[in-house]
Amino acid sequence: MLFQEFNGDQRREKVNSIQRYLSWCDAKERTESYRGSLVWQEVKGERYLVRSYYDASGNRRQRSEGRRNTETEKLKASWDKARQEATERFKSLREVMARQAAINRAVKLGRVPMTGARIIRAIDDAGLLGNGIRIVGTNAIYAYEAAAGVMVNPDITATLDIDLLLDARMSLRMVLRDEASEPTLINLLRKVDKSFARTSQTFRAVNDEGYLVDLIRPQRDPPWLNEREQIGEAEDELSAVPIHGLSWHESAPPFETVAIDEKGGPLRIVASDPRVFAAHKLWLSRNPDREPTKRCRDAAQAEVVAQMVARYLIHLPYDSAELRMLPKELFEQAAGLFDVGETEDTYTF
């Protein structure tokens, strides 16, 4: 029993959630554009309109808009009004999102475990999600099922960890929201849960509840020199571990969608192409060096994601031209997973 389709109420509220979430995102972005201030300051007996703002690196800057006169007074009045309107709209939509979350819980739409959801949101808020970091592993399935309008058997999705794929080819820049914070992944995790700490395995962090965060990157053959391994430079920052096969995810098209967390709140997830996910999981399931229990789960995840693609994500055909990052032999082996065959249209559990 692999998955079940959304019922009518769930489909309706998923659409409502996405629409309201996108409006909330727009309002949030507009509100954040007014970070800083626009105030009068006296300099040598003259009053000037001074703007405080944050540059692209998150550093606070100031510049003068000129002496106080009719034009600068109009500028300040217009800025104050727009800022107030943006703040009120964001507050209103925040209340709308709280009501929507309650509805989502009532119709049982919540899926993404809360710790993972908070980490994904923190990465997104820092400007890294889809811009150097993708969600891979089991948590990516929540993106695929949300797009397909189904819910996967919990036995297949249950997890107490999250894998973050670092695209070492990209130049990363974290958006700073707190001047006191150093731009590092470990500090980002500690904003989610202050108990997160790096383990003796320097690619991994764990919190007091045993939730694991792994920073991983593709294994190069031969290894590339001077390739990024970290996001920040702190002494206890995570260093991405190289793993074979991840270059397929790195080179795959990004897959972005909105999923729902366990408390009913929407969140953006950026994973890699589900066709590549299924093929990679099939490859893992046939790796004799992998633990038997993990191989069985890999096979189940490969099957369920391939079936979701074949049945619901029909805009993603299993086509060699689009999946050139996969080895030819693996591409051919995985093709059978995407055959719908005579299986019943829906599954229940």
Side-chain angles (χ1 to χ4, degrees):
M1 301 301 178
L2 299 178
F3 52 75
Q4 67 178 16
E5 293 181 344
F6 286 175
N7 61 35
D9 289 340
Q10 290 168 331
R11 282 193 290 268
R12 181 188 66 246
E13 296 308 329
K14 176 65 190 309
V15 171
N16 290 340
S17 295
I18 293 175
Q19 292 174 344
R20 288 167 176 165
Y21 174 71
L22 294 177
S23 295
W24 177 86
C25 288
D26 287 342
K28 180 173 180 282
E29 183 177 356
R30 187 176 177 215
T31 300
E32 290 177 348
S33 72
Y34 288 99
R35 290 179 72 217
S37 62
L38 192 62
V39 298
W40 299 110
Q41 289 187 5
E42 186 169 332
V43 180
K44 295 181 179 180
E46 293 279 358
R47 291 183 65 79
Y48 292 84
L49 186 60
V50 178
R51 184 186 301 274
S52 296
Y53 64 99
Y54 294 87
D55 65 17
S57 300
N59 297 313
R60 189 177 179 89
R61 305 290 187 187
Q62 285 190 331
R63 73 165 183 261
S64 172
E65 299 291 347
R67 287 188 177 90
R68 185 164 189 168
N69 55 35
T70 302
E71 291 302 316
T72 52
E73 287 179 350
K74 287 181 180 179
L75 174 62
K76 177 168 171 52
S78 176
W79 190 88
D80 287 344
K81 180 181 178 182
R83 185 186 195 185
Q84 180 64 27
E85 290 175 348
T87 301
E88 290 176 356
R89 175 168 171 75
F90 180 62
K91 180 180 178 181
S92 175
L93 283 169
R94 188 167 54 192
E95 294 171 354
V96 169
M97 293 303 298
R99 293 195 296 270
Q100 184 64 54
I103 295 171
N104 290 344
R105 292 194 298 272
V107 299
K108 303 186 186 304
L109 263 182
R111 297 289 293 167
V112 186
M114 285 310 304
T115 301
R118 292 188 183 107
I119 291 171
I120 293 170
R121 287 193 180 101
I123 293 170
D124 197 7
D125 286 345
L128 294 174
L129 185 64
N131 185 32
I133 287 184
R134 291 184 185 184
I135 308 304
V136 294
T138 299
N139 283 278
I141 297 177
Y142 294 116
Y144 308 144
E145 67 168 19
V150 303
M151 289 184 287
V152 173
N153 187 323
D155 291 341
I156 296 175
T157 57
T159 184
L160 287 174
D161 66 345
I162 188 170
D163 294 329
L164 308 178
L165 175 62
L166 176 67
D167 188 339
R169 305 167 303 176
M170 298 186 68
S171 176
L172 307 184
R173 181 181 61 81
M174 188 180 293
V175 178
L176 294 178
R177 304 294 182 191
D178 181 355
E179 291 180 274
S181 295
E182 187 175 359
T184 67
L185 180 58
I186 191 65
N187 282 342
L188 202 62
L189 295 175
R190 286 169 180 156
K191 288 184 178 180
V192 174
D193 182 338
K194 63 182 180 181
S195 71
F196 269 113
R198 192 183 72 175
T199 69
S200 58
Q201 296 172 297
T202 57
F203 63 88
R204 172 171 291 170
V206 63
N207 69 1
D208 286 347
E209 296 180 352
Y211 192 93
L212 301 175
V213 180
D214 287 352
L215 184 64
I216 57 181
R217 62 186 175 92
Q219 173 72 62
R220 308 299 184 190
D221 187 17
W224 290 3
L225 297 176
N226 302 320
E227 189 172 62
R228 175 182 288 275
E229 298 179 2
Q230 297 180 315
I231 292 174
E233 301 298 332
E235 184 177 348
D236 61 346
E237 177 66 321
L238 302 188
S239 296
V241 61
I243 298 177
H244 186 55
L246 292 181
S247 59
W248 307 331
H249 282 283
E250 184 184 60
S251 300
F255 186 90
E256 178 179 338
T257 193
V258 175
I260 308 295
D261 70 30
E262 288 178 330
K263 292 187 177 180
L267 72 154
R268 189 174 74 107
I269 299 180
V270 180
S272 60
D273 191 294
R275 297 166 294 182
V276 173
F277 178 98
H280 181 238
K281 284 292 184 177
L282 177 66
W283 176 78
L284 286 173
S285 73
R286 297 179 177 181
N287 184 346
D289 295 330
R290 195 161 169 81
E291 295 177 22
T293 54
K294 289 185 177 181
R295 293 206 309 269
C296 291
R297 196 169 196 231
D298 292 332
Q301 291 182 344
E303 181 182 1
V304 71
V305 171
Q307 286 294 300
M308 283 193 288
V309 171
R311 292 172 177 276
Y312 305 103
L313 306 180
I314 56 177
H315 63 290
L316 298 175
Y318 194 70
D319 181 79
S320 59
E322 296 186 19
L323 301 173
R324 291 188 296 270
M325 73 292 297
L326 295 175
K328 184 174 184 294
E329 182 180 2
L330 176 58
F331 174 83
E332 293 173 349
Q333 290 174 354
L337 292 172
F338 295 84
D339 183 9
V340 176
E342 300 298 325
T343 310
E344 295 181 4
D345 288 340
T346 60
Y347 298 79
T348 59
F349 54 86

